[in-house]
C-alpha cells in the first residue's frame, strides 16, 4: 500500500472596518493511493485511486464592542475515498465524501478572563461511506446525511485559582437520502 498526498492552502482574515472582518480560505488536495497485491494465495488485484478537490471557506465576523463577537461561516470540504489506506475491488471506485457546513455563533466575555460561547450549525454530507457490516474491512455508500446542532461553552478563569472548561452539545443527525433512492 502506498499513498501520496499533496495540498496547498491559503487563508486570510481581512479587517473591513473596526467592527467587521472577513475570513476567506481555499484548500486544494490531491490524494493518491495504490495497492499492489503481492499475495500468493489469491489472484493478484492491483488497485489505484486518485482524488482531488477544492475546499473553500468564508466567514463574516462582527465585533460590536470589545467583549462581544458574532460570526457566520460556510465551508465545503472533500474527504478522499482512500484516506484510510483501504482499497478493495468494491470500494476503489467510491466517490470522495463531500461536506457543507453552515454555522452562526457568538462569544461573550462575561469576565475579563471568562468567555461564554454558543453556536448553531448544519452539516450536510454526500457520498457518505460506512463500514460494510456484511464484509469487514470493506465500505459501502450510505447516501446523504444531515446533522444539525447547538453548542454552548464556558471557558476561562473564575478566579486566580479556579478555571472552568465546560460545554454542552445537542446534535440531531439523520439520513436525508439513502443510497439508491
Amino acid at each position: 500500500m502506498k499513498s501520496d498526498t499533496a495540498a496547498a492552502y491559503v487563508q486570510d482574515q481581512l479587517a473591513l472596518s473596526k467592527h467587521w472582518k472577513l475570513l476567506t480560505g481555499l484548500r486544494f488536495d490531491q490524494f493518491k493511493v495504490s495497492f499492489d497485491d503481492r499475495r500468493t494465495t489469491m489472484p493478484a488485484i492491483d488497485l489505484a485511486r486518485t482524488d482531488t478537490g477544492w475546499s473553500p471557506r468564508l466567514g463574516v465576523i462582527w465585533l460590536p464592542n470589545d467583549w462581544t463577537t458574532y460570526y457566520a461561516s460556510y465551508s465545503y470540504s472533500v474527504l478522499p475515498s482512500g484516506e484510510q489506506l483501504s482499497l478493495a475491488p468494491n470500494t476503489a471506485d467510491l466517490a470522495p465524501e463531500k461536506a457543507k457546513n453552515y454555522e452562526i455563533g457568538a462569544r461573550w466575555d462575561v469576565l475579563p478572563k471568562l468567555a461564554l460561547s454558543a453556536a448553531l450549525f448544519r452539516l450536510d454530507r454526500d457520498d457518505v461511506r460506512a463500514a460494510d457490516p456484511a464484509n469487514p474491512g470493506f465500505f459501502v455508500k450510505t447516501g446523504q446525511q444531515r446533522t444539525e446542532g447547538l453548542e454552548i461553552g464556558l471557558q476561562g478563569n473564575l478566579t486566580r485559582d479556579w478555571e472552568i472548561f465546560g460545554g454542552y452539545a445537542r446534535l440531531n443527525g439523520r439520513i436525508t437520502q439513502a443510497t439508491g433512492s
Side-chain angles (χ1 to χ4, degrees):
M1 184 70 65
K2 178 184 175 189
S3 73
D4 294 307
T5 304
Y9 187 78
V10 62
Q11 179 171 298
D12 197 7
Q13 181 172 296
L14 308 167
L16 302 175
S17 71
K18 179 181 176 184
H19 298 288
W20 290 94
K21 295 181 182 180
L22 181 68
L23 177 70
T24 61
L26 183 63
R27 179 182 173 104
F28 176 78
D29 289 285
Q30 181 180 51
F31 188 85
K32 295 179 184 181
V33 63
S34 61
F35 175 66
D36 295 327
D37 192 347
R38 296 177 191 216
R39 296 176 289 187
T40 57
T41 60
M42 309 179 120
I45 301 173
D46 294 339
L47 302 169
R49 176 163 185 94
T50 299
D51 289 318
T52 59
W54 293 93
S55 299
R57 74 185 286 198
L58 179 66
V60 177
I61 303 165
W62 178 42
L63 304 111
N65 52 50
D66 291 341
W67 58 89
T68 308
T69 304
Y70 299 97
Y71 70 91
S73 69
Y74 165 82
S75 63
Y76 175 86
S77 60
V78 176
L79 181 64
S81 294
E83 88 285 350
Q84 296 178 356
L85 299 179
S86 57
L87 285 182
N90 74 333
T91 59
D93 291 330
L94 291 181
E97 187 174 309
K98 298 166 210 71
K100 292 180 186 175
N101 191 66
Y102 307 88
E103 184 172 334
I104 59 170
R107 175 187 161 111
W108 303 274
D109 294 332
V110 292
L111 293 174
K113 294 185 179 181
L114 182 68
L116 174 65
S117 59
L120 293 169
F121 67 90
R122 183 175 86 191
L123 173 63
D124 291 326
R125 295 171 54 197
D126 292 325
D127 294 320
V128 177
R129 297 176 311 278
D132 184 347
N135 219 349
F138 290 82
F139 295 89
V140 294
K141 286 177 71 171
T142 62
Q144 298 175 335
Q145 297 177 1
R146 174 172 285 168
T147 304
E148 295 172 322
L150 161 73
E151 296 176 344
I152 300 172
L154 183 64
Q155 60 274 341
N157 295 69
L158 292 172
T159 68
R160 190 178 67 128
D161 297 322
W162 285 81
E163 292 182 53
I164 186 168
F165 296 94
Y168 170 80
R170 178 162 175 84
L171 304 174
N172 178 20
R174 63 190 176 279
I175 295 173
T176 54
Q177 182 178 347
T179 301
S181 53

